[in-house]
Amino acid sequence: MNMISSSEAFSQFSTWKNSKRRLDVTVIVSGKTVDRLPNVRVYEVDESASVVGLVGSTPHSFKDFDVVDSIFSSDSSRMIVMRKDSDWLVFEELA
């Protein structure tokens, strides 16, 4: 995994949005997995507000994440957003 800037991260979010790429997202809070969002797409990217919005395959399955003051790392098919030491969002591309 390579550390990336927030502008690089938001560029990747925009790429995922524009390509309608399907993702699996894991939400980790205080070091524990609290939610798994399978087969979602990025529908909103607002770099100025540091918000990424996801939509699932069922109606009304929207989820927005505030990623202000986060640290980003990425490899070819995955991005990790570290919001605090033990609070992470893991975005993984589906094949």
Side-chain angles (χ1 to χ4, degrees), residues 4-92:
I4 60 173
S5 68
S6 63
S7 61
E8 290 171 307
F10 276 92
S11 177
Q12 180 62 51
F13 289 131
S14 292
T15 297
W16 284 336
K17 175 186 173 189
N18 295 334
S19 68
K20 299 183 181 181
R21 179 65 129 162
R22 292 288 177 175
L23 307 165
D24 281 341
V25 178
T26 303
V27 181
I28 300 166
V29 176
S30 298
K32 297 181 182 185
T33 299
V34 296
D35 205 358
R36 291 187 193 273
L37 308 170
N39 199 26
V40 296
R41 287 187 298 109
V42 176
Y43 81 92
E44 177 186 17
V45 177
D46 187 341
E47 187 171 1
S48 64
S50 294
V51 171
V52 177
L54 304 175
V55 61
S57 56
T58 60
H60 309 293
S61 59
F62 297 92
K63 187 113 176 153
D64 291 340
F65 290 105
D66 179 347
V67 295
V68 69
D69 297 328
S70 294
I71 297 170
F72 303 90
S73 57
S74 179
D75 63 19
S76 62
S77 63
R78 180 173 53 172
M79 183 189 311
I80 297 176
V81 180
M82 293 166 275
R83 299 193 293 181
K84 295 181 183 174
D85 287 340
S86 59
D87 293 356
W88 296 12
L89 302 171
V90 181
F91 295 82
E92 296 181 88

